[in-house]
Each structure stands twice: as C-alpha cells, then as structure tokens.
Amino acid sequence: MRRTPDRSADRTMNYGKEQIKVYRTYATPLEGIEPIPESSFDGRPNTLFGMDLRVQVEGDAFLPSFSEGDNSMVVATDSMKNFVHHHMGEYEGATLEGFLEYVGAALLETYDQMESVTVSASEVPFEECVVPGDDGFEPSELVFGVSDGEAAYGELSLDATEDGPVLDDQQSGVTDIELVKVKDNSFTGFVQDEYTTLPERENRTLYVAMDIFWTYADGEDALGVDRYVPAEQVRDIAQVVFDDRDVNSIQDLIYRIGLRVLERFEQLESVSFEANNRTWIGVREEMDGEAKVLREPDIPTGFQQFSMDRDDLEGERA
C-alpha cells in the first residue's frame, strides 16, 4: 500500500539526476493557442523539441541507503536518465510541462519505493533559419540555429497515492529575457544621503534581464492546451509593456508586466520575477541629438525579486 508523503517531516532526504539533456524531432505540434494583443504567437511545429531536465525523488524506503549503505531500493540515477530518454520517445503531447507530468507520473507508477517526485526542466530553444524559397526568404523546415535567448521553464511535483500519481505543485516560467530600451527610462526620487553617489537620471538607456514565473489556479491547466499559457506570449507581454511605459524603475516595470500577465490570463493565480539591472554607464552623453556612448556597468549589480497575485490586479481595478 502506498503511503502519502509526510511533507511536515524535518528530515531532508532526496536524490536524483540533473542536466539530463534530451531532444526529440517531429514532436506533436503545439496548436490551438489563442493569440493575445501583445503577441502573434499561436503555436509552434515542434520540429525540434529539447530540454535540460532534473529529476528529484523522495521516499522513506531510501533511508537505508543513507544510514546503512543498503542500496537494495535505490534506482540508479543513470537509470533515471535512461528512463527520461525512453519516455521522450513515448510522449504524445506538445508542451514542456506536459512532458514533466508524463515522465514524473511514469516514474511513480514504475517504482513503488518512490513516494514523490519533482521534475523540472529548462527548454533548449532553437531558431528557424531563413533560406531562399519560391516567394523570397522563408523559414527552413530542416535547419535550425541553437538559440542562447529566452527559454521556457517548468517544475512539477507529484505524489504517489492509492489512486495513482497526483499533481501537488506546479510552476511555469520563461527565463533569460534580456531587454534594452534606449530612452524614456528614468530613475529619480530615491534616498539621498551621505552614502549616495549615483546621480538621478531623467532619461537613461535601461538594460534589464529577468526571469518570470507563474502558477495556475488549477495546476491541471498547465498540462493541456486549451488554457495553457505559452512562455512566448509572456515574453512578448514583457517586451510590449517595456516599449509602452515610461519606466521610473525596474520595480515599476516588473509590477506593470505582472499586472498585464494576470489581466490577459485569468487562469493564472500568481506571477513572480527575478530581475537584474545591467544598465550601461554613460561615457559620452553630450553628443548631438539623442546619441550616447555607453560602457558595461561595474560589478556588483542590482537585482529585484517580486511576486504578485490576483489581489494586486483587483486592487488596481478598484
């Protein structure tokens, strides 16, 4: 009989495999995504579908492997890697989160000693290469560039129960967004005291890096398509809000992005941010017109973390 994991226990005990990179060609296309005003994204062919995955498993049966050196219940992490590789070929869905749920549930159904599993992954993104076609340049159906830009992220925790695997927790995201806005950004009104050397800036070039994460009110919505929120659309919202708004701080920017995300996707419960200020420093700002010469910022750099939920959106509407 399976036992529901006791998450109140003080002991930390888990193990697993990370940096499992796995790729699939001609996966099921992601179709039927509803466009939003900030984005033209409505799906992708998934000709190349790749991710960098981490598996973490828990269960009381693993205690003897720590306390007694008894490995009789241990599933080798190399076997976990092979398990992920095999099931990527069996997966019939079209999303990163869907695969995490699929392979996590399969682990719990295969190994009784696993009481819970947390599976997370970052997308390995690819870009379509543009080649000459019959009507001008068009995306190649065969050749892709490996991107170092933003990537989708997902993390799911599942528990083993007598009725089968049950989704316990979920988070989705888009990471490694980097945006530069050349003007209409200020930073004024901050505390001025004997430690202040930074001048107020009425119009600066702003370079911000950010990761955005979100949770669904119903975690099952992360696993389908009808109410699925694509990372591409959240990324595009960030770009549009940055373009539209005269930004007085990165804090102001991420708050407005969060409001827009919650406004567009009523199925989401919360959104959170980790942002990093990489704003360049002016070297020459007295040039003709609006031209400037800038350099990389000094280290250390500033960061911001912030989370918000639907109460923030309702407060803005009140």
Side-chain angles (χ1 to χ4, degrees), residues 157-210:
S157 295
L158 299 99
D159 291 337
T161 72
E162 293 182 356
D163 297 323
V166 173
L167 181 63
D168 177 67
D169 200 11
Q170 167 277 325
Q171 185 181 64
S172 298
V174 55
T175 62
D176 300 322
I177 298 173
E178 295 187 33
L179 300 171
V180 181
K181 186 176 180 182
V182 297
K183 68 172 187 173
D184 296 336
N185 316 285
S186 60
F187 187 49
T188 62
F190 53 88
V191 172
Q192 298 281 343
D193 59 19
E194 66 269 30
Y195 303 106
T196 305
T197 58
L198 183 72
E200 292 192 341
R201 291 189 173 95
E202 294 287 350
N203 193 346
R204 63 175 177 169
T205 296
L206 182 57
Y207 181 169
V208 59
M210 71 177 75

Side-chain angles (χ1 to χ4, degrees), residues 107-226:
L107 280 165
L108 294 178
E109 290 168 344
T110 302
Y111 301 105
D112 287 346
Q113 64 269 47
M114 295 181 184
E115 297 174 10
S116 66
V117 60
T118 299
V119 193
S120 60
S122 294
E123 171 195 21
V124 178
F126 299 93
E127 299 174 345
E128 294 175 327
C129 292
V130 177
V131 296
D134 294 337
D135 299 315
F137 285 88
E138 59 188 32
S140 171
E141 297 181 356
L142 300 176
V143 180
F144 297 81
V146 179
S147 172
D148 60 357
E150 64 278 343
Y153 174 83
E155 179 173 316
L156 278 73
S157 295
L158 299 99
D159 291 337
T161 72
E162 293 182 356
D163 297 323
V166 173
L167 181 63
D168 177 67
D169 200 11
Q170 167 277 325
Q171 185 181 64
S172 298
V174 55
T175 62
D176 300 322
I177 298 173
E178 295 187 33
L179 300 171
V180 181
K181 186 176 180 182
V182 297
K183 68 172 187 173
D184 296 336
N185 316 285
S186 60
F187 187 49
T188 62
F190 53 88
V191 172
Q192 298 281 343
D193 59 19
E194 66 269 30
Y195 303 106
T196 305
T197 58
L198 183 72
E200 292 192 341
R201 291 189 173 95
E202 294 287 350
N203 193 346
R204 63 175 177 169
T205 296
L206 182 57
Y207 181 169
V208 59
M210 71 177 75
D211 301 333
I212 309 175
F213 304 97
W214 55 92
T215 62
Y216 293 77
D218 181 353
E220 295 292 330
D221 285 337
L223 309 180
V225 172
D226 292 344

Side-chain angles (χ1 to χ4, degrees), residues 20 22 51 53-57 79-92 95-111 114 117-121 156 158 165 223:
I20 306 172
V22 60
M51 63 186 71
L53 190 139
R54 182 179 190 271
V55 177
Q56 174 183 305
V57 302
S79 300
M80 294 181 188
K81 173 204 67 180
N82 296 335
F83 191 97
V84 169
H85 289 167
H86 174 81
H87 282 77
M88 176 62 97
E90 302 297 313
Y91 178 55
E92 297 180 353
T95 67
L96 181 146
E97 293 94 334
F99 178 70
L100 296 181
E101 191 274 340
Y102 171 72
V103 75
L107 280 165
L108 294 178
E109 290 168 344
T110 302
Y111 301 105
M114 295 181 184
V117 60
T118 299
V119 193
S120 60
L156 278 73
L158 299 99
L223 309 180

Side-chain angles (χ1 to χ4, degrees), residues 251-290:
Q251 289 90 328
D252 173 46
L253 173 63
I254 60 180
Y255 185 76
R256 298 301 161 183
I257 293 171
L259 288 178
R260 188 75 63 88
V261 170
L262 292 169
E263 180 182 3
R264 288 289 175 249
F265 304 112
E266 54 87 20
Q267 64 269 45
L268 296 186
E269 179 178 65
S270 67
V271 59
S272 61
F273 298 84
E274 170 121 12
N276 182 261
N277 185 355
R278 301 183 184 177
T279 297
W280 298 320
I281 305 299
V283 176
R284 293 188 59 188
E285 302 192 44
E286 75 286 355
M287 300 168 65
D288 293 340
E290 296 180 298

